[in-house]
Amino acid sequence: MFASKQAQVDEVLNRGVIKQVFPSMEEFRTRLLSDKKMKFYIGADTTGDSLHLSHAKNFILLEEFRKLGHEVFVLFGDLTACIGDPSDKSSARSRLTREKAKQNAESWVRQISPLINFECEENPARVVYNSTWFDEFSVVELLELFSNATVQQMIERDMFQKRLSENKPIFLHEFLYPMFQGYDSVALDVDVELCGTDQIFNALSGRDLLKKYKNKEKFVVAVNLMENPKTGTLMSKSNNTGVFLGTDSKTLFGQIMAQPDEMIEIILINDTRVPLDEIKALDIPNNPMKAKLFTAQEVTRIFYGETVAEQEYDNFVNTFSKKNFSDEAKIIELNQDSISLFDLLCVCLPNESRSAVRRLIQQNAIAVNGNKCSNAENVFNLSNEDDLQLKVGKKQFFLIHYASPKL
């Protein structure tokens, strides 16, 4: 039996992915429940070659709106990527070449293909590039675009305020970035833009421009950023932090197992569609390892299928079970091919001094894969071995997982 349209809409809106809607959630829900077909888009600057799970949740949400019958676009900012969205850092982003931005976009399409249907005959998701219209812009059209905002409006951005307070430069191309991104809404003539909460300023700029150019209202649907609730750390392609796509299945599984316990519920809510009551029943605080295995298998299934996900689950469990290794081991993910015992311990024990680490080795307190190790210079080839099981003393256990470089 199919769920009613109202039930489908409410399930999407109440999942916990959406953080804020402009002008309001109530108006957006009313429009979704109507028979009007809307045009949705999400835009992203192709500044890196790999996406992460916080990006993935956006495309999963976009696919849900497509399945509700709406027209959806994935916009790659190959032009705006070359400008660079101002960051909250004290300096400008590095700028890309147009060729590199295109290469990254092609990689992204491959990575998100398991999440969103580009092949549907009746209503496929469509890929567009904003260079399509900006390459045709004349100087007069640029001046007309820039005349729709004031310096005072642009300077309101928190990141610009921070730079000014620190007497750091704001480059003109950064200053004008929101106008370029905002015009994407005009060019596509959209009804809805999906964005992260960090992009609300730019999305609202687009809302204003669409109103001025076409006298049309646009909904801005802002989604959460999957922030670690304890540390505030974000998944970031710029900082190379998070669970990245574009890897092999073993690496994806291992990346999730290496996540802090407090991130597991966040991943389940945002990157799967496991019912919320089932997530609650996992009792994650009291069963973190079981919940991580469940989450890693579920996410791997989404990207690689049921068979591969089951294989990775079995491989991981078998690695832990060898030699009665503790199932409470902390998972350490490394992307280097080899590492010495001393350097490995320094990574696993960041609060210990280097002399303390050497004493542990000298005291014969270290075991790797069940074998005692007393040579600090002993080198382990991570890329050619299964995950290493590291035991420090009697109570500290680590599983060292090799993460192959992103494709």
Side-chain angles (χ1 to χ4, degrees):
M1 181 177 180
F2 293 103
S4 68
K5 184 174 184 179
Q6 179 175 324
Q8 292 176 337
V9 167
D10 287 341
E11 184 175 353
V12 172
L13 298 183
N14 298 329
R15 177 77 188 181
V17 178
I18 298 173
K19 190 80 170 179
Q20 195 172 4
V21 177
F22 299 88
S24 73
M25 178 69 83
E26 293 75 15
E27 292 177 72
F28 183 51
R29 180 176 181 273
T30 298
R31 185 70 67 85
L32 287 172
L33 292 174
S34 72
D35 293 328
K36 178 178 172 57
K37 183 177 181 178
M38 293 189 289
K39 186 182 290 187
F40 285 68
Y41 100 97
I42 185 167
D45 287 346
T46 51
T47 53
D49 61 358
S50 183
L51 299 170
H52 48 64
L53 284 185
S54 192
H55 293 117
K57 73 165 189 319
N58 304 337
F59 297 109
I60 292 171
L61 179 61
L62 189 64
E63 173 69 359
E64 289 180 311
F65 289 122
R66 189 197 67 81
K67 288 181 176 178
L68 287 171
H70 301 289
E71 188 177 4
V72 304
F73 293 84
V74 176
L75 183 146
F76 291 127
D78 57 326
L79 185 284
T80 43
C82 298
I83 299 173
D85 186 16
S87 72
D88 57 0
K89 298 178 181 179
S90 59
S91 60
R93 289 183 187 269
S94 299
R95 296 175 63 186
L96 297 181
T97 64
R98 183 74 66 85
E99 292 74 18
K100 180 60 177 174
K102 283 280 191 180
Q103 290 174 10
N104 290 342
E106 292 170 359
S107 174
W108 287 19
V109 171
R110 291 192 296 270
Q111 293 172 53
I112 66 175
S113 290
L115 308 176
I116 189 166
N117 193 340
F118 294 107
E119 306 298 329
C120 178
E121 292 184 5
E122 295 181 357
N123 183 32
R126 294 170 56 189
V127 172
V128 292
Y129 296 86
N130 64 9
S131 61
T132 303
W133 43 88
F134 283 126
D135 281 349
E136 303 298 323
F137 250 47
S138 68
V139 173
V140 173
E141 288 172 314
L142 280 175
L143 290 175
E144 181 185 358
L145 172 61
F146 298 152
S147 71
N148 286 287
T150 67
V151 171
Q152 288 85 348
Q153 288 173 318
M154 294 295 104
I155 212 70
E156 288 176 359
R157 293 195 76 172
D158 291 342
M159 58 193 68
F160 289 156
Q161 290 295 323
K162 180 180 178 182
R163 296 237 200 123
L164 288 172
S165 67
E166 297 173 353
N167 199 29
K168 301 290 185 179
I170 300 171
F171 293 92
L172 189 57
H173 70 281
E174 297 180 288
F175 197 69
L176 297 174
Y177 179 92
M179 302 301 294
F180 283 100
Q181 182 175 320
Y183 189 80
D184 292 339
S185 295
V186 178
L188 285 174
D189 193 25
V190 296
D191 300 290
V192 185
E193 177 178 357
L194 302 186
C195 69
T197 53
D198 60 335
Q199 291 293 317
I200 289 176
F201 184 95
N202 293 341
L204 290 179
S205 295
R207 189 170 190 270
D208 291 341
L209 286 174
L210 194 58
K211 179 70 172 177
K212 292 176 179 178
Y213 272 87
K214 298 191 174 184
N215 195 30
K216 181 177 181 179
E217 298 287 351
K218 179 188 78 171
F219 290 102
V220 172
V221 178
V223 299
N224 71 70
L225 299 179
M226 293 180 65
E227 177 179 325
N228 184 306
K230 288 187 177 180
T231 66
T233 302
L234 298 175
M235 293 191 185
S236 167
K237 65 179 184 287
S238 299
N239 297 325
N240 198 32
T241 55
V243 177
F244 284 87
L245 316 182
T247 65
D248 57 52
S249 56
K250 178 183 177 182
T251 299
L252 177 63
F253 198 102
Q255 285 183 111
I256 296 170
M257 294 302 298
Q259 288 296 294
D261 294 350
E262 61 271 17
M263 286 299 295
I264 297 307
E265 181 177 9
I266 291 173
I267 292 173
L268 280 172
I269 289 173
N270 288 277
D271 294 298
T272 77
R273 286 305 178 258
V274 175
L276 296 178
D277 57 348
E278 291 185 22
I279 295 175
K280 184 177 181 181
L282 288 172
D283 191 18
I284 296 173
N286 294 316
N287 301 285
M289 180 58 71
K290 179 181 178 181
K292 281 186 180 182
L293 284 167
F294 175 83
T295 305
Q297 183 176 9
E298 182 64 19
V299 173
T300 304
R301 181 193 65 77
I302 292 170
F303 286 95
Y304 293 98
E306 191 71 47
T307 300
V308 172
E310 290 180 357
Q311 290 173 347
E312 296 300 348
Y313 179 95
D314 291 341
N315 291 340
F316 198 93
V317 170
N318 290 337
T319 298
F320 264 115
S321 64
K322 286 190 299 185
K323 301 180 182 179
N324 298 317
F325 198 64
S326 171
D327 61 2
E328 296 300 320
K330 181 177 181 181
I331 299 164
I332 303 294
E333 185 179 80
L334 300 175
N335 57 16
Q336 58 202 85
D337 291 337
S338 61
I339 191 170
S340 69
L341 177 62
F342 178 77
D343 289 338
L344 178 59
L345 288 170
C346 288
V347 172
C348 296
L349 306 170
N351 295 324
E352 297 288 347
S353 66
R354 296 173 69 86
S355 58
V357 169
R358 291 194 182 279
R359 283 195 297 271
L360 286 170
I361 298 173
Q362 293 166 359
Q363 292 167 1
N364 211 28
I366 310 300
V368 177
N369 292 339
N371 301 312
K372 290 288 186 178
C373 293
S374 56
N375 181 0
E377 304 306 318
N378 190 28
V379 175
F380 300 97
N381 190 333
L382 301 178
S383 62
N384 292 335
E385 299 184 20
D386 291 333
D387 295 342
L388 295 181
Q389 298 170 343
L390 174 66
K391 182 180 179 182
V392 181
K394 295 181 178 180
K395 297 183 179 180
Q396 295 190 81
F397 298 86
F398 303 88
L399 186 71
I400 313 303
H401 175 75
Y402 172 69
S404 59
K406 299 186 291 296
L407 301 179

